[in-house]
Amino acid sequence: MSIAQRSLYGGLLVTSLVVTAALVWSGWRLVAQQRELDARQVRLEAEASADAVAASIRQALADLGDGLSARLGSDGGAAVTAAVVAVWRASGGIVEPAGALPFVPWRVPGTHRSELFAEAEVAEFGEGSASVAIARYRALAREANPSVRAGALLRLARVLRRRGDTAGALAAADELVTLGQQDIDGVPAALAGLDVQRLTFADRRDIERARRAREELRQRLDRGVWRLDRGTAEFYRDEVSTAPRPEVWRLAAALSTVWDGHGGPALSERGLEVVASAGKPVVVAWRANDSAAALAVVSADRFLASLDRPGMRWRLSDADDRRVAGVTGVVAGATVSRVIGGGSSWTLRVWPSPDAAATGSRESLLIAATAGTVIFVWAAAALMARALRREARVAQLQSDFVAAVSHEFRSPLTTMRQMAEMLETDRVADEARRKQYYRVLASETARLQRLVERLLDFGRMEAGGDAPQHERLDLSTVVDEVVAAMAEPTSHHHTRIEIVSTASAGIVRGDPAALALAVRNLIENALKYSPDRSMVTVTLGREGASVAIAVSDQGAGIAKDEQAAIFGKFVRGRAAIAGRVSGTGVGLAAVKHVVDAHGGAIRLESEPGRGSTFTVLLPLDESGAPGADVTSAAAGSEA
């Protein structure tokens, strides 16, 4: 590489580095500015989201309080959205919606008529006379008062179970179930009857029916069918099932905790509390006066489920920083805080979601644009470097071509000048010697003529002039005439040309002169690179639907990495340059040009030290049988 080329490459590299550094610095500044703008925008969005979420929470609490206040009146009021409401009055309590809680927080009053059953119980327990007790219980079970009937049936079923009369016990239990909500010492008759059925089936070892009775009891308890206090509900639920309890149990437990903790029914006029029930926050709010209390209970996450904002996360905490609603885990990053108030001690914190894509998209776009520009700069630099290398290569090839042509012209001209001077000054006295000099002059003149014609032919090919004149011809004739014309000039090299052909290679359509030029160039190339006393073989035959002309030599061969470029113009192999073999680098290029113009292909098979074989494949002409219109290459061989 010359100093000028190194300077060009160095300048290109330095320019690319400077431009890259400027682009990276500019891109970094733009990204930094964009981050500041994005952070400011995110902060504003967080402020707006915090205000909106806080307003929604305050409004939800206000609506909940208004609904509870309306429940204190005798006319009730509109339903409280999403919450379960329990209203206590001295005359009794209700739950809305009905059955929404498995138990109520206050004590459920029971009907105690134990004096009516005293004589029967003395017979049952004191005297041990079951038959007397059964008779007395049956008599009471026929009373018109449902409360008396329910108590008698429960006691009757108990005695019958002890005596082993399971059928009688089940009949009493069935009758109990029909009495429904009728109270028996604080337990509904239907609940007591189903429990008797469960126990009686167990006594009878009727596993399936006992299981069905337990399942029915569990479902009714979970659905809040009966009005029970906490102790009674949890006792029976534990007796019949160990399955996980639904959310309503968690709500009822939270409501009971607040009721007991604040001295219910003597509650304060208003209040709001978050209770951790089964590890999850539950909101309990209440309003109370001298004669009534209305309490609402709802899961905190459900109560505030509609407060999510796109791209934002929030968390509501109480005064002890315990989570009320919102995301779980640790609050990370800068947050915006709001105090809720409205009877609560809650604090709202809002921050941007880490997976929000809006902030990072513009930054990514800037980074991608900077990276794309840098890649474009280096791609352009690479293309320019490639163009410089190509130009340098072309310049080198042209320089080598000029040197080779100069050498090709200088040798015969020097010989011709010396002999012409000797003949002009009559320094050759012998007539035979003068004739020899004349023959040499004629040979060197012909050599110069062939060289000039070859260069002119290649120039016309490159320029696209003199389009081939295609006609039907026999390639064996072309090869024979070219070899015959070249046999005499090669005799002083002691190199023999041998033709190997099939009986009928085939007819092709082509330009006789152009094809003869291609064959001559291949044979001359083989002769130049063949050692003394070797052989150049020209093989003519068929390969599929093509006529193949293969020219083989026993020369130095061509390396694999040079074979693809050897057909380029002005290209000469390393072996030719190292061996100082004469040539211009246009012979093989001309051959490829001719072959391509005839729709054929050329193939090279070579290994260093084992010679080379160039094979030309031309398509067969099957338009008609060869005849009188088949042309020889006599005219073309002279080229």
Side-chain angles (χ1 to χ4, degrees), residues 127-203:
E127 299 174 358
S129 177
S131 57
V132 174
I134 290 173
R136 291 176 178 176
Y137 287 144
R138 287 190 188 278
L140 291 171
R142 290 191 290 272
E143 290 285 336
N145 189 326
S147 176
V148 176
R149 289 176 56 206
L153 288 170
L154 178 60
R155 289 166 174 80
L156 176 62
R158 179 180 65 200
V159 177
L160 294 174
R161 279 186 60 232
R162 287 179 180 175
R163 293 190 63 180
D165 185 0
T166 56
L170 288 174
D174 291 342
E175 193 171 349
L176 269 175
V177 172
T178 62
L179 294 177
Q181 190 68 37
Q182 180 61 51
D183 178 74
I184 309 174
D185 298 331
V187 177
L191 171 57
L194 288 173
D195 191 52
V196 170
Q197 289 179 354
R198 173 183 69 85
L199 294 172
T200 305
F201 288 136
D203 292 340

Side-chain angles (χ1 to χ4, degrees), residues 500-562:
V500 179
S501 64
T502 59
S504 176
I507 306 301
V508 300
R509 292 196 70 85
D511 188 320
L515 292 175
L517 174 64
V519 173
R520 184 183 187 90
N521 284 353
L522 289 175
I523 296 175
E524 284 185 347
N525 221 46
L527 290 172
K528 283 193 294 185
Y529 293 102
S530 295
D532 289 346
R533 303 185 183 281
S534 61
M535 179 182 296
V536 171
T537 304
V538 181
T539 305
L540 188 64
R542 285 194 184 186
E543 283 191 20
S546 301
V547 178
I549 306 172
V551 179
S552 304
D553 62 52
Q554 299 172 355
I558 302 171
K560 289 286 185 184
D561 58 344
E562 294 183 343

Side-chain angles (χ1 to χ4, degrees), residues 568-616:
K569 61 182 179 180
F570 311 138
V571 176
R572 303 189 70 210
R574 289 191 295 269
I577 298 174
R580 297 183 180 275
V581 179
S582 63
T584 60
V586 298
L588 290 178
V591 172
K592 187 163 191 325
H593 194 284
V594 170
V595 172
D596 289 344
H598 285 77
I602 186 167
R603 184 176 68 231
L604 169 59
E605 300 172 28
S606 179
E607 292 185 17
R610 293 193 173 184
S612 303
T613 299
F614 290 86
T615 304
V616 173

